[in-house]
Amino acid sequence: MCYPRVGISIVQILERLGHEIDYPEELACCGQPAFNSGYWKETRPIAERVLKRLQDAAAVVIASGSCGAMLKKFYPELFANTAHARAAHELAAKCYEFSDFLVTKLGVTDLDAYFPHRVTFHDGCHGLRELGNKKQPRELLAKVRGLDLIEMSEAETCCGFGGTFSAKFPMISTAMGEVKCTSALETGAEYIVSNDASCNMHIQGLADRQRLSLRTIHLAEVLNSR
Amino acid sequence: MSAASQQFEHDAERLTHDLRHRSLIQTALKKYEVARDSKKSRYQDWQSARQTAAEIKWDAVNHLNTYLEEFASKLEARGAHVHWASTSEQARQIILGIVREKNARSIIKSKVMTGEEIHLNEALEKAGLTVVESDFGEYIVQLRHEAPYHFVFPAMHLVRGEISKLFEEKLGSKPTNDPEELMMIARGILRNKYITADVGITGANFAIAETGMISITENEGNARLTCALPKVHIALMGIEKVLPKLQDLALFMPMLATAGAGQVLTGYNSLYAGPRQPGESDGPDEFHLVLLDNKRTHLLADAEQRDALHCIRCGACLNVCPIYRNVGGHTYGTTYQGPIGSVITPHLRGLQEWKHLSYASSLCGACTEACPVKIDLHHHLLQGRRNAMARYPVWWERLAFKVFGLVVNHSLLVGLASSLARVAQRLHPLIKGTRLDPARPWTRSRELPQVAKQTFKEFWRSRKR
């Protein structure tokens, strides 16, 4: 709703690579907010619908590491010892976070992108630690012409979003965001690139309020720039 | 909201605004990180070391009854008294009973977190005994009448100037900014305390079932003096500290030092196996070991989170935790701070009172990655939330998520919600940041994203046409 460019970029990139894309319009959310808040029972109807709708897909590409982790790691836990356990495992096996899909599944790193900017990369926690996607986004960025990647010292440190955590403990969440922004600013980067839109939303929201000259952008948008 | 939860929120609010404090802690812990990484690189393979450690602890914890009995009987065979305490009250009574029987008046202690857990100092002081902490950090926080700030680095929140001022006020020493001089001031006083103490109380980092020994790791030599000089030695330890074999220490001692403090090996590592034996030149006349349960068996009964008993109390998870780094140790209000504390405290002290700690995490997983014994810490926080809401649901939250589930499962409602969001976005400036603003927790410090002119769904539909 707020970041349509992410989805549009992914569609355009994958179609350029010759893939046929289906967008499950009727799926609006994976249920992570309820799940992470402890309401697993309330999460199941949402997740069941996702399982059903995606069962025939050959591969599922997910734009954010966080949602990716939900489908890939937490659905099997949510449905453990239920009738949907098998479906959850089958879905998990064919889900890919976007950068992982390109690099691991398709073996593509060079998308002929051009993005003449100094950037730093923020590792979203779920993409990094639940899914283990550290190298993939960097391999993709390395092939972008004109792009200068400067790693920040706190690249792997949480930006403080954490879903409902950001509303339950806003003061801690904000302090964590400040640590992230300070580290990004130290690199002199114009953009913080991330493969997680929710981290970008948090970092940008804080940077805008504090009038920091930081812009966040999704990895897919960078890779779709020419 | 529980009292503990209110206190947490209150202190977190205060400390996240204390930039000096945040920078002090972050600078210290970044230095730790550099030291830790350089020492980790000396392991041939840190990941398989972790795996081995986790397997040894798994074996120990899953056969706790066997190993504890083996450990206790070996120790008793050498004349030690082994006491089993189910609760903190029992543990306090056992220790008070021993010191009373010995007509003890003064006690010297080395660092013992289980002592903090059972509020031992308060109980001893109430009974009229003098208690002195001999670990430098513990000594400082004792003088300040404070709880340890970090269960490995008790006084890490204080700078040299503050310690010097404290010593000036409490001990009448001259001001100094030299760490060695500060240490010598404390040592000068402590030396005399060791000699005059009737009883020495310590903890234990590990207990070895095979040989019936406890292992104590320290950097100052204070625990050795605490064990060696007084006539009576009381060791207090949690039942989860047992390891099967002596050779296990070859892995756990360096691992504790590296993960916990960025050291290759801690300065002093000593094994104690009961009172002085015939023909031995030193050691206490009497040796008491108090084995503390205090709801650890409650955690043991939970197959899902049992691995939290693997913990060797190295503090690695605190050191890397972005929450800990921004709110500090006292905010938690627990004996064990940081991620491990947030996992075990609801088990040890009650879910209803301490469930907020499961939520005080962004679930980033830095703790799990750092844990040398591979405790699945952040997933346990997630499971802790599930357990909490299964027993103590918040009615309006549950309702909100039910409605949320209803909306996202109906395309028409999703469409309606996104139209409403556009309207709301236009009206929002009127109430933004005020008490009427439902997004206030966010908008107090951050801007909200804008709903796009064309959503992805609209793009998709326009393309299909």
Side-chain angles (χ1 to χ4, degrees), chain A:
Chain A
M1 214 156 74
C2 301
Y3 302 100
R5 301 297 323 161
V6 177
I8 295 170
S9 300
I10 292 178
V11 168
Q12 290 173 347
I13 289 170
L14 294 181
E15 284 185 341
R16 272 206 300 277
L17 292 171
H19 298 275
E20 188 193 324
I21 295 168
D22 171 28
Y23 166 59
E25 270 185 53
E26 61 273 40
L27 298 183
C29 181
C30 65
Q32 191 176 192
F35 180 75
N36 278 3
S37 300
Y39 295 91
W40 291 24
K41 208 177 121 201
E42 286 70 18
T43 310
R44 286 196 190 99
I46 306 174
E48 279 168 23
R49 198 154 184 258
V50 176
L51 285 184
K52 205 167 162 216
R53 177 62 179 82
L54 298 179
Q55 66 186 359
D56 297 325
V60 179
V61 178
I62 300 157
S64 278
S66 183
C67 315
M70 183 69 189
L71 267 64
K72 226 172 156 52
K73 282 199 78 171
F74 296 116
Y75 273 15
E77 197 171 336
L78 180 67
F79 289 114
N81 307 315
T82 71
H84 299 288
R86 205 171 138 197
H89 279 282
E90 281 169 4
L91 175 62
K94 62 182 179 186
C95 281
Y96 297 87
E97 180 274 320
F98 171 63
S99 72
D100 187 40
F101 183 71
L102 290 176
V103 177
T104 313
K105 177 78 175 166
L106 302 183
V108 176
T109 49
D110 193 348
L111 293 156
D112 198 24
Y114 176 63
F115 193 73
H117 298 283
R118 194 181 171 97
V119 309
T120 191
F121 189 77
H122 161 68
D123 290 284
C125 298
H126 277 112
L128 176 70
R129 280 181 278 262
E130 300 292 351
L131 304 177
N133 298 347
K134 173 86 183 173
K135 281 194 205 140
Q136 296 88 324
R138 287 171 175 80
E139 283 176 25
L140 290 161
L141 287 175
K143 296 282 169 67
V144 176
R145 285 175 294 118
L147 183 139
D148 189 9
L149 174 69
I150 319 280
E151 293 283 1
M152 59 177 141
S153 63
E154 305 275 0
E156 293 188 5
T157 306
C158 178
C159 73
F161 176 59
T164 49
F165 167 76
S166 63
K168 279 187 196 276
F169 297 96
M171 59 306 209
I172 310 177
S173 167
T174 301
M176 288 161 71
E178 286 169 355
V179 171
K180 177 59 75 175
C181 288
T182 306
S183 183
L185 283 170
E186 278 168 8
T187 65
E190 299 159 71
Y191 286 94
I192 299 181
V193 183
S194 177
N195 47 352
D196 206 313
S198 55
C199 307
N200 279 352
M201 172 177 77
H202 187 240
I203 298 168
Q204 193 69 63
L206 187 66
D208 286 349
R209 175 61 60 88
Q210 302 198 348
R211 299 182 192 286
L212 308 175
S213 59
L214 276 175
R215 273 181 291 176
T216 55
I217 188 167
H218 193 281
L219 177 68
E221 294 175 77
V222 174
L223 299 178
N224 198 35
S225 301
R226 356 194 91 215

Side-chain angles (χ1 to χ4, degrees), chain B residues 5 7 31 33 49 66 85 95 108 110 148 162 194 215-216 225 244 259 301 322 335 367 372 376 415 430:
Chain B
S5 166
Q7 176 260 314
K31 278 189 196 154
E33 230 171 81
T66 322
I95 294 170
I108 188 94
S110 72
E162 288 168 301
Y194 293 113
S215 161
I216 300 179
L225 291 172
T335 308
C367 47
D376 203 1
L430 297 173

Side-chain angles (χ1 to χ4, degrees), chain B residues 375-395:
Chain B
I375 303 171
D376 203 1
L377 288 157
H378 73 296
H379 290 153
H380 291 334
L381 292 174
L382 189 58
Q383 293 150 356
R385 295 178 185 187
R386 178 205 59 203
N387 295 348
M389 288 311 107
R391 280 181 64 189
Y392 309 105
V394 181
W395 70 269

Side-chain angles (χ1 to χ4, degrees), chain B residues 45-232:
Chain B
D45 182 353
W46 175 252
Q47 292 310 332
S48 48
R50 287 176 80 212
Q51 184 58 34
T52 308
E55 284 168 15
I56 294 170
K57 284 300 286 193
W58 188 92
D59 172 37
V61 165
N62 283 277
H63 304 99
L64 200 53
N65 53 339
T66 322
Y67 288 125
L68 278 175
E69 276 171 19
E70 186 186 355
F71 166 64
S73 67
K74 292 263 163 70
L75 202 49
E76 279 168 335
R78 276 191 302 271
H81 303 271
V82 178
H83 311 263
W84 303 77
S86 292
T87 63
S88 54
E89 175 59 19
Q90 276 180 14
R92 286 192 299 267
Q93 289 309 325
I94 290 166
I95 294 170
L96 280 170
I98 301 166
V99 298
R100 281 198 187 115
E101 196 202 300
K102 297 287 141 199
N103 288 319
R105 299 166 83 178
S106 71
I107 288 171
I108 188 94
K109 274 178 77 202
S110 72
K111 198 167 169 304
V112 43
M113 289 314 295
T114 36
E116 299 291 331
E117 183 183 327
I118 67 167
H119 303 290
L120 182 59
N121 286 8
E122 291 89 324
L124 291 167
E125 280 165 1
K126 225 170 136 191
L129 290 130
T130 316
V131 185
V132 180
E133 293 286 351
S134 63
D135 173 89
F136 188 54
E138 289 282 345
Y139 183 65
I140 293 165
V141 294
Q142 189 188 23
L143 286 179
R144 286 169 61 94
H145 303 288
E146 255 180 7
Y149 183 88
H150 180 298
F151 61 70
V152 175
F153 314 120
M156 73 172 289
H157 58 306
L158 301 171
V159 296
R160 275 172 282 180
E162 288 168 301
I163 297 166
S164 168
K165 217 166 150 213
L166 175 76
F167 284 0
E168 244 184 288
E169 279 169 26
K170 303 272 178 175
L171 310 172
S173 61
K174 287 201 184 99
T176 171
N177 206 30
D178 179 39
E180 215 160 298
E181 270 181 42
L182 285 168
M183 187 75 136
M184 289 320 287
I185 295 168
R187 278 197 179 172
I189 292 166
L190 287 170
R191 288 282 149 146
N192 197 39
K193 304 282 182 194
Y194 293 113
I195 297 164
T196 54
D198 304 302
V199 174
I201 299 182
T202 72
N205 293 92
F206 304 104
I208 309 300
E210 180 185 38
T211 55
M213 292 170 173
I214 60 167
S215 161
I216 300 179
T217 287
E218 46 147 352
N219 272 312
E220 297 161 25
N222 63 303
R224 288 158 64 118
L225 291 172
T226 303
C227 296
L229 294 177
K231 285 203 159 66
V232 180

